[in-house]
mmCIF file of all heavy atoms in Angstrom:
data_model
loop_
_atom_site.group_PDB
_atom_site.id
_atom_site.type_symbol
_atom_site.label_atom_id
_atom_site.label_comp_id
_atom_site.label_asym_id
_atom_site.label_seq_id
_atom_site.Cartn_x
_atom_site.Cartn_y
_atom_site.Cartn_z
ATOM 1 N N LEU O 45 123.587 45.042 136.383
ATOM 2 C CA LEU O 45 123.180 44.623 137.727
ATOM 3 C C LEU O 45 123.159 45.788 138.717
ATOM 4 O O LEU O 45 123.897 46.766 138.561
ATOM 5 C CB LEU O 45 124.133 43.529 138.225
ATOM 6 C CG LEU O 45 124.136 42.259 137.368
ATOM 7 C CD1 LEU O 45 125.215 41.296 137.840
ATOM 8 C CD2 LEU O 45 122.770 41.581 137.364
ATOM 9 N N ALA O 46 122.304 45.635 139.724
ATOM 10 C CA ALA O 46 122.152 46.659 140.762
ATOM 11 C C ALA O 46 122.546 46.060 142.111
ATOM 12 O O ALA O 46 122.544 44.831 142.288
ATOM 13 C CB ALA O 46 120.699 47.111 140.819
ATOM 14 N N THR O 47 122.843 46.930 143.068
ATOM 15 C CA THR O 47 123.076 46.475 144.441
ATOM 16 C C THR O 47 121.920 46.989 145.303
ATOM 17 O O THR O 47 120.852 47.264 144.792
ATOM 18 C CB THR O 47 124.438 46.978 144.956
ATOM 19 O OG1 THR O 47 124.415 48.406 144.872
ATOM 20 C CG2 THR O 47 125.582 46.430 144.121
ATOM 21 N N GLY O 48 122.150 47.144 146.598
ATOM 22 C CA GLY O 48 121.072 47.582 147.496
ATOM 23 C C GLY O 48 120.317 46.367 148.030
ATOM 24 O O GLY O 48 120.583 45.232 147.633
ATOM 25 N N SER O 49 119.349 46.628 148.901
ATOM 26 C CA SER O 49 118.635 45.517 149.540
ATOM 27 C C SER O 49 117.700 44.791 148.582
ATOM 28 O O SER O 49 117.530 43.567 148.668
ATOM 29 C CB SER O 49 117.772 46.035 150.691
ATOM 30 O OG SER O 49 118.558 46.763 151.584
ATOM 31 N N THR O 50 117.064 45.542 147.684
ATOM 32 C CA THR O 50 115.972 44.963 146.897
ATOM 33 C C THR O 50 116.376 43.752 146.039
ATOM 34 O O THR O 50 115.656 42.766 146.042
ATOM 35 C CB THR O 50 115.306 46.060 146.031
ATOM 36 O OG1 THR O 50 115.140 47.223 146.842
ATOM 37 C CG2 THR O 50 113.958 45.612 145.521
ATOM 38 N N PRO O 51 117.511 43.785 145.312
ATOM 39 C CA PRO O 51 117.794 42.637 144.446
ATOM 40 C C PRO O 51 118.413 41.424 145.147
ATOM 41 O O PRO O 51 118.678 40.409 144.484
ATOM 42 C CB PRO O 51 118.769 43.204 143.400
ATOM 43 C CG PRO O 51 119.397 44.370 144.038
ATOM 44 C CD PRO O 51 118.466 44.882 145.088
ATOM 45 N N ILE O 52 118.613 41.502 146.457
ATOM 46 C CA ILE O 52 119.281 40.380 147.143
ATOM 47 C C ILE O 52 118.498 39.069 146.952
ATOM 48 O O ILE O 52 119.074 38.017 146.645
ATOM 49 C CB ILE O 52 119.494 40.698 148.652
ATOM 50 C CG1 ILE O 52 120.558 41.798 148.784
ATOM 51 C CG2 ILE O 52 119.918 39.454 149.425
ATOM 52 C CD1 ILE O 52 120.843 42.256 150.208
ATOM 53 N N TYR O 55 119.030 37.675 143.473
ATOM 54 C CA TYR O 55 120.327 37.004 143.317
ATOM 55 C C TYR O 55 120.297 35.625 143.990
ATOM 56 O O TYR O 55 120.825 34.651 143.458
ATOM 57 C CB TYR O 55 121.456 37.878 143.886
ATOM 58 C CG TYR O 55 121.628 39.176 143.099
ATOM 59 C CD1 TYR O 55 122.079 40.350 143.690
ATOM 60 C CD2 TYR O 55 121.318 39.225 141.746
ATOM 61 C CE1 TYR O 55 122.217 41.527 142.965
ATOM 62 C CE2 TYR O 55 121.446 40.409 141.006
ATOM 63 C CZ TYR O 55 121.891 41.542 141.626
ATOM 64 O OH TYR O 55 122.019 42.705 140.894
ATOM 65 N N ASN O 76 127.930 46.399 136.463
ATOM 66 C CA ASN O 76 127.161 46.978 137.561
ATOM 67 C C ASN O 76 126.895 48.457 137.334
ATOM 68 O O ASN O 76 127.661 49.154 136.678
ATOM 69 C CB ASN O 76 127.889 46.768 138.884
ATOM 70 C CG ASN O 76 127.339 45.558 139.609
ATOM 71 O OD1 ASN O 76 127.653 44.433 139.232
ATOM 72 N ND2 ASN O 76 126.485 45.787 140.594
ATOM 73 N N LEU O 77 125.801 48.900 137.922
ATOM 74 C CA LEU O 77 125.380 50.292 137.768
ATOM 75 C C LEU O 77 126.351 51.290 138.376
ATOM 76 O O LEU O 77 126.572 52.361 137.828
ATOM 77 C CB LEU O 77 124.056 50.507 138.504
ATOM 78 C CG LEU O 77 122.775 50.089 137.835
ATOM 79 C CD1 LEU O 77 121.646 50.123 138.860
ATOM 80 C CD2 LEU O 77 122.465 51.024 136.677
ATOM 81 N N ASP O 78 126.892 50.924 139.553
ATOM 82 C CA ASP O 78 127.600 51.965 140.292
ATOM 83 C C ASP O 78 128.559 51.407 141.328
ATOM 84 O O ASP O 78 128.540 50.222 141.647
ATOM 85 C CB ASP O 78 126.590 52.921 140.958
ATOM 86 C CG ASP O 78 125.389 52.201 141.539
ATOM 87 O OD1 ASP O 78 125.508 51.002 141.837
ATOM 88 O OD2 ASP O 78 124.325 52.833 141.689
ATOM 89 N N GLU O 79 129.400 52.289 141.831
ATOM 90 C CA GLU O 79 130.336 51.962 142.920
ATOM 91 C C GLU O 79 130.621 53.242 143.694
ATOM 92 O O GLU O 79 130.662 54.333 143.121
ATOM 93 C CB GLU O 79 131.633 51.380 142.353
ATOM 94 C CG GLU O 79 132.709 51.043 143.379
ATOM 95 C CD GLU O 79 132.285 49.997 144.423
ATOM 96 O OE1 GLU O 79 131.539 50.380 145.364
ATOM 97 O OE2 GLU O 79 132.698 48.836 144.300
ATOM 98 N N TYR O 91 130.539 47.907 146.487
ATOM 99 C CA TYR O 91 129.567 47.131 145.721
ATOM 100 C C TYR O 91 130.229 45.919 145.081
ATOM 101 O O TYR O 91 129.563 44.929 144.765
ATOM 102 C CB TYR O 91 128.885 48.044 144.698
ATOM 103 C CG TYR O 91 127.858 48.963 145.354
ATOM 104 C CD1 TYR O 91 127.379 50.088 144.695
ATOM 105 C CD2 TYR O 91 127.356 48.685 146.622
ATOM 106 C CE1 TYR O 91 126.425 50.918 145.289
ATOM 107 C CE2 TYR O 91 126.412 49.507 147.219
ATOM 108 C CZ TYR O 91 125.955 50.612 146.557
ATOM 109 O OH TYR O 91 125.005 51.419 147.139
ATOM 110 N N PHE O 94 129.866 43.357 147.726
ATOM 111 C CA PHE O 94 128.443 42.983 147.756
ATOM 112 C C PHE O 94 128.130 41.971 146.650
ATOM 113 O O PHE O 94 127.471 40.960 146.881
ATOM 114 C CB PHE O 94 127.601 44.260 147.579
ATOM 115 C CG PHE O 94 126.113 44.019 147.439
ATOM 116 C CD1 PHE O 94 125.247 44.262 148.502
ATOM 117 C CD2 PHE O 94 125.563 43.571 146.237
ATOM 118 C CE1 PHE O 94 123.867 44.059 148.374
ATOM 119 C CE2 PHE O 94 124.194 43.360 146.104
ATOM 120 C CZ PHE O 94 123.347 43.606 147.171
ATOM 121 N N MET O 95 128.604 42.275 145.450
ATOM 122 C CA MET O 95 128.255 41.416 144.311
ATOM 123 C C MET O 95 128.890 40.040 144.452
ATOM 124 O O MET O 95 128.268 39.025 144.119
ATOM 125 C CB MET O 95 128.671 42.064 142.982
ATOM 126 C CG MET O 95 127.827 43.253 142.574
ATOM 127 S SD MET O 95 126.031 42.972 142.547
ATOM 128 C CE MET O 95 125.865 41.622 141.373
ATOM 129 N N GLN O 140 118.824 45.179 131.905
ATOM 130 C CA GLN O 140 119.356 45.948 133.043
ATOM 131 C C GLN O 140 118.411 45.825 134.229
ATOM 132 O O GLN O 140 117.221 46.134 134.127
ATOM 133 C CB GLN O 140 119.498 47.424 132.654
ATOM 134 C CG GLN O 140 119.881 48.354 133.788
ATOM 135 C CD GLN O 140 121.313 48.143 134.269
ATOM 136 O OE1 GLN O 140 122.244 48.206 133.474
ATOM 137 N NE2 GLN O 140 121.496 47.888 135.559
ATOM 138 N N LEU O 141 118.940 45.371 135.356
ATOM 139 C CA LEU O 141 118.162 45.288 136.586
ATOM 140 C C LEU O 141 118.350 46.604 137.362
ATOM 141 O O LEU O 141 119.475 47.070 137.536
ATOM 142 C CB LEU O 141 118.702 44.112 137.413
ATOM 143 C CG LEU O 141 117.926 43.712 138.650
ATOM 144 C CD1 LEU O 141 116.528 43.219 138.285
ATOM 145 C CD2 LEU O 141 118.680 42.612 139.408
ATOM 146 N N LEU O 142 117.237 47.173 137.827
ATOM 147 C CA LEU O 142 117.313 48.430 138.593
ATOM 148 C C LEU O 142 116.542 48.313 139.901
ATOM 149 O O LEU O 142 115.504 47.637 139.962
ATOM 150 C CB LEU O 142 116.656 49.581 137.820
ATOM 151 C CG LEU O 142 117.226 50.046 136.494
ATOM 152 C CD1 LEU O 142 116.344 51.155 135.923
ATOM 153 C CD2 LEU O 142 118.658 50.547 136.664
ATOM 154 N N GLY O 143 117.029 49.006 140.930
ATOM 155 C CA GLY O 143 116.216 49.308 142.100
ATOM 156 C C GLY O 143 115.822 50.770 141.947
ATOM 157 O O GLY O 143 116.105 51.401 140.924
ATOM 158 N N ILE O 144 115.215 51.336 142.969
ATOM 159 C CA ILE O 144 114.868 52.765 142.903
ATOM 160 C C ILE O 144 115.002 53.360 144.298
ATOM 161 O O ILE O 144 114.614 52.731 145.297
ATOM 162 C CB ILE O 144 113.440 52.952 142.319
ATOM 163 C CG1 ILE O 144 113.096 54.446 142.185
ATOM 164 C CG2 ILE O 144 112.383 52.217 143.140
ATOM 165 C CD1 ILE O 144 111.841 54.698 141.335
ATOM 166 N N GLY O 145 115.587 54.553 144.376
ATOM 167 C CA GLY O 145 115.695 55.230 145.671
ATOM 168 C C GLY O 145 114.369 55.893 146.022
ATOM 169 O O GLY O 145 113.538 56.144 145.143
ATOM 170 N N ARG O 146 114.182 56.207 147.294
ATOM 171 C CA ARG O 146 112.937 56.905 147.700
ATOM 172 C C ARG O 146 112.822 58.246 146.995
ATOM 173 O O ARG O 146 111.741 58.764 146.782
ATOM 174 C CB ARG O 146 112.953 57.140 149.228
ATOM 175 C CG ARG O 146 112.718 55.886 150.035
ATOM 176 C CD ARG O 146 112.805 56.191 151.502
ATOM 177 N NE ARG O 146 114.038 56.939 151.818
ATOM 178 C CZ ARG O 146 114.568 56.989 153.036
ATOM 179 N NH1 ARG O 146 113.998 56.373 154.036
ATOM 180 N NH2 ARG O 146 115.672 57.695 153.250
ATOM 181 N N ASN O 147 113.979 58.820 146.626
ATOM 182 C CA ASN O 147 113.961 60.110 145.926
ATOM 183 C C ASN O 147 113.851 59.938 144.410
ATOM 184 O O ASN O 147 113.996 60.897 143.665
ATOM 185 C CB ASN O 147 115.210 60.921 146.281
ATOM 186 C CG ASN O 147 116.498 60.252 145.820
ATOM 187 O OD1 ASN O 147 116.454 59.189 145.202
ATOM 188 N ND2 ASN O 147 117.627 60.859 146.114
ATOM 189 N N GLY O 148 113.637 58.698 143.970
ATOM 190 C CA GLY O 148 113.449 58.446 142.541
ATOM 191 C C GLY O 148 114.743 58.219 141.781
ATOM 192 O O GLY O 148 114.736 58.127 140.556
ATOM 193 N N HIS O 149 115.863 58.060 142.512
ATOM 194 C CA HIS O 149 117.100 57.824 141.760
ATOM 195 C C HIS O 149 117.140 56.414 141.178
ATOM 196 O O HIS O 149 116.564 55.485 141.740
ATOM 197 C CB HIS O 149 118.357 58.154 142.591
ATOM 198 C CG HIS O 149 118.711 57.178 143.667
ATOM 199 N ND1 HIS O 149 119.405 57.539 144.797
ATOM 200 C CD2 HIS O 149 118.500 55.848 143.796
ATOM 201 C CE1 HIS O 149 119.595 56.476 145.558
ATOM 202 N NE2 HIS O 149 119.057 55.442 144.973
ATOM 203 N N ILE O 150 117.794 56.281 140.049
ATOM 204 C CA ILE O 150 118.124 54.968 139.486
ATOM 205 C C ILE O 150 119.628 54.996 139.249
ATOM 206 O O ILE O 150 120.168 56.008 138.824
ATOM 207 C CB ILE O 150 117.315 54.629 138.199
ATOM 208 C CG1 ILE O 150 117.312 55.788 137.200
ATOM 209 C CG2 ILE O 150 115.912 54.208 138.546
ATOM 210 C CD1 ILE O 150 116.600 55.475 135.878
ATOM 211 N N GLY O 151 120.309 53.866 139.534
ATOM 212 C CA GLY O 151 121.747 53.963 139.687
ATOM 213 C C GLY O 151 121.932 55.000 140.784
ATOM 214 O O GLY O 151 121.130 55.081 141.724
ATOM 215 N N PHE O 152 122.947 55.838 140.656
ATOM 216 C CA PHE O 152 123.061 56.954 141.602
ATOM 217 C C PHE O 152 122.785 58.268 140.878
ATOM 218 O O PHE O 152 123.435 59.281 141.107
ATOM 219 C CB PHE O 152 124.427 56.959 142.289
ATOM 220 C CG PHE O 152 124.484 56.073 143.506
ATOM 221 C CD1 PHE O 152 125.578 55.262 143.743
ATOM 222 C CD2 PHE O 152 123.445 56.054 144.433
ATOM 223 C CE1 PHE O 152 125.638 54.452 144.867
ATOM 224 C CE2 PHE O 152 123.481 55.251 145.568
ATOM 225 C CZ PHE O 152 124.592 54.443 145.776
ATOM 226 N N ASN O 153 121.815 58.239 139.990
ATOM 227 C CA ASN O 153 121.405 59.460 139.283
ATOM 228 C C ASN O 153 120.359 60.152 140.135
ATOM 229 O O ASN O 153 119.189 59.768 140.154
ATOM 230 C CB ASN O 153 120.858 59.098 137.901
ATOM 231 C CG ASN O 153 121.937 58.525 137.024
ATOM 232 O OD1 ASN O 153 122.793 59.245 136.526
ATOM 233 N ND2 ASN O 153 121.944 57.198 136.871
ATOM 234 N N GLU O 154 120.815 61.147 140.857
ATOM 235 C CA GLU O 154 120.005 61.808 141.861
ATOM 236 C C GLU O 154 119.123 62.895 141.235
ATOM 237 O O GLU O 154 119.377 63.333 140.114
ATOM 238 C CB GLU O 154 120.926 62.457 142.907
ATOM 239 C CG GLU O 154 121.906 61.481 143.570
ATOM 240 C CD GLU O 154 121.255 60.567 144.607
ATOM 241 O OE1 GLU O 154 120.050 60.263 144.495
ATOM 242 O OE2 GLU O 154 121.963 60.157 145.535
ATOM 243 N N THR O 172 119.887 59.874 150.003
ATOM 244 C CA THR O 172 120.591 58.629 149.703
ATOM 245 C C THR O 172 121.623 58.334 150.792
ATOM 246 O O THR O 172 121.750 57.190 151.251
ATOM 247 C CB THR O 172 121.308 58.763 148.326
ATOM 248 O OG1 THR O 172 120.322 59.079 147.352
ATOM 249 C CG2 THR O 172 122.040 57.508 147.949
ATOM 250 N N ALA O 175 119.738 57.092 153.734
ATOM 251 C CA ALA O 175 119.210 55.735 153.519
ATOM 252 C C ALA O 175 120.328 54.701 153.617
ATOM 253 O O ALA O 175 120.134 53.609 154.153
ATOM 254 C CB ALA O 175 118.515 55.648 152.160
ATOM 255 N N ASN O 176 121.528 55.049 153.120
ATOM 256 C CA ASN O 176 122.612 54.073 153.086
ATOM 257 C C ASN O 176 123.441 54.029 154.362
ATOM 258 O O ASN O 176 124.292 53.155 154.524
ATOM 259 C CB ASN O 176 123.514 54.323 151.870
ATOM 260 C CG ASN O 176 122.777 53.997 150.576
ATOM 261 O OD1 ASN O 176 121.649 53.514 150.614
ATOM 262 N ND2 ASN O 176 123.398 54.255 149.451
ATOM 263 N N ARG O 178 122.575 52.983 157.029
ATOM 264 C CA ARG O 178 122.294 51.740 157.743
ATOM 265 C C ARG O 178 123.392 50.696 157.516
ATOM 266 O O ARG O 178 123.561 49.789 158.318
ATOM 267 C CB ARG O 178 120.910 51.183 157.356
ATOM 268 C CG ARG O 178 120.756 50.689 155.918
ATOM 269 C CD ARG O 178 119.272 50.434 155.624
ATOM 270 N NE ARG O 178 119.012 49.640 154.432
ATOM 271 C CZ ARG O 178 118.943 50.147 153.192
ATOM 272 N NH1 ARG O 178 119.147 51.453 152.998
ATOM 273 N NH2 ARG O 178 118.674 49.358 152.179
ATOM 274 N N PHE O 179 124.124 50.809 156.420
ATOM 275 C CA PHE O 179 125.195 49.847 156.147
ATOM 276 C C PHE O 179 126.545 50.298 156.703
ATOM 277 O O PHE O 179 127.494 49.538 156.717
ATOM 278 C CB PHE O 179 125.354 49.646 154.632
ATOM 279 C CG PHE O 179 124.099 49.151 153.962
ATOM 280 C CD1 PHE O 179 123.423 49.954 153.052
ATOM 281 C CD2 PHE O 179 123.589 47.898 154.253
ATOM 282 C CE1 PHE O 179 122.262 49.505 152.436
ATOM 283 C CE2 PHE O 179 122.433 47.442 153.640
ATOM 284 C CZ PHE O 179 121.767 48.248 152.737
ATOM 285 N N SER O 192 128.646 56.356 138.708
ATOM 286 C CA SER O 192 127.390 55.716 138.300
ATOM 287 C C SER O 192 127.198 55.765 136.786
ATOM 288 O O SER O 192 127.565 56.755 136.147
ATOM 289 C CB SER O 192 126.210 56.437 138.969
ATOM 290 O OG SER O 192 124.973 55.895 138.531
ATOM 291 N N ILE O 198 121.735 53.942 130.993
ATOM 292 C CA ILE O 198 120.640 53.055 131.399
ATOM 293 C C ILE O 198 119.587 52.967 130.285
ATOM 294 O O ILE O 198 119.110 51.886 129.944
ATOM 295 C CB ILE O 198 120.006 53.556 132.721
ATOM 296 C CG1 ILE O 198 121.028 53.430 133.863
ATOM 297 C CG2 ILE O 198 118.719 52.797 133.049
ATOM 298 C CD1 ILE O 198 120.595 54.075 135.176
ATOM 299 N N LEU O 207 112.803 46.930 140.153
ATOM 300 C CA LEU O 207 112.197 46.289 141.327
ATOM 301 C C LEU O 207 111.977 47.307 142.436
ATOM 302 O O LEU O 207 112.829 48.167 142.664
ATOM 303 C CB LEU O 207 113.145 45.216 141.899
ATOM 304 C CG LEU O 207 113.740 44.192 140.941
ATOM 305 C CD1 LEU O 207 114.648 43.235 141.718
ATOM 306 C CD2 LEU O 207 112.627 43.430 140.239
ATOM 307 N N ALA O 208 110.839 47.198 143.115
ATOM 308 C CA ALA O 208 110.638 48.023 144.317
ATOM 309 C C ALA O 208 109.822 47.244 145.329
ATOM 310 O O ALA O 208 108.839 46.579 144.983
ATOM 311 C CB ALA O 208 109.945 49.337 143.970
ATOM 312 N N SER O 209 110.260 47.325 146.571
ATOM 313 C CA SER O 209 109.596 46.581 147.640
ATOM 314 C C SER O 209 109.353 47.510 148.820
ATOM 315 O O SER O 209 110.228 48.300 149.181
ATOM 316 C CB SER O 209 110.530 45.420 148.026
ATOM 317 O OG SER O 209 110.196 44.915 149.277
ATOM 318 N N GLU O 212 107.422 52.342 151.661
ATOM 319 C CA GLU O 212 108.170 53.618 151.604
ATOM 320 C C GLU O 212 108.541 53.992 150.172
ATOM 321 O O GLU O 212 108.936 55.119 149.898
ATOM 322 C CB GLU O 212 109.386 53.616 152.541
ATOM 323 C CG GLU O 212 110.547 52.735 152.144
ATOM 324 C CD GLU O 212 110.392 51.285 152.582
ATOM 325 O OE1 GLU O 212 109.279 50.906 153.038
ATOM 326 O OE2 GLU O 212 111.363 50.536 152.451
ATOM 327 N N LYS O 213 108.358 53.048 149.225
ATOM 328 C CA LYS O 213 108.638 53.355 147.813
ATOM 329 C C LYS O 213 107.344 53.641 147.039
ATOM 330 O O LYS O 213 107.389 53.979 145.859
ATOM 331 C CB LYS O 213 109.368 52.177 147.143
ATOM 332 C CG LYS O 213 110.689 51.757 147.786
ATOM 333 C CD LYS O 213 111.859 52.554 147.272
ATOM 334 C CE LYS O 213 113.170 52.240 147.967
ATOM 335 N NZ LYS O 213 113.776 50.977 147.570
HETATM 336 C C1 LIG Q 319 122.255 50.286 143.582
HETATM 337 C C2 LIG Q 319 121.596 51.456 143.029
HETATM 338 C C3 LIG Q 319 120.520 52.207 143.750
HETATM 339 C C4 LIG Q 319 119.537 51.310 144.528
HETATM 340 C C5 LIG Q 319 118.522 52.159 145.270
HETATM 341 C C6 LIG Q 319 117.555 51.325 146.067
HETATM 342 O O1 LIG Q 319 123.211 49.766 142.685
HETATM 343 O O2 LIG Q 319 121.977 51.846 141.980
HETATM 344 O O3 LIG Q 319 119.810 52.969 142.804
HETATM 345 O O4 LIG Q 319 118.903 50.446 143.629
HETATM 346 O O5 LIG Q 319 119.187 53.042 146.130
HETATM 347 O O6 LIG Q 319 118.230 50.680 147.108
HETATM 348 P P1 LIG Q 319 117.480 49.617 148.031
HETATM 349 O O7 LIG Q 319 117.208 48.431 147.181
HETATM 350 O O8 LIG Q 319 118.505 49.299 149.119
HETATM 351 O O9 LIG Q 319 116.256 50.273 148.544
#
Side-chain angles (χ1 to χ4, degrees):
L45 299 174
T47 58
S49 305
T50 316
I52 290 178
Y55 295 150
N76 263 76
L77 279 168
D78 40 23
E79 178 60 282
Y91 285 163
F94 174 104
M95 288 307 301
Q140 173 70 55
L141 188 64
L142 296 178
I144 183 167
R146 287 178 310 201
N147 64 2
H149 74 207
I150 47 176
F152 274 137
N153 294 285
E154 304 285 28
T172 303
N176 291 355
R178 67 191 195 275
F179 301 114
S192 176
I198 294 172
L207 310 180
S209 162
E212 71 276 10
K213 302 274 175 75

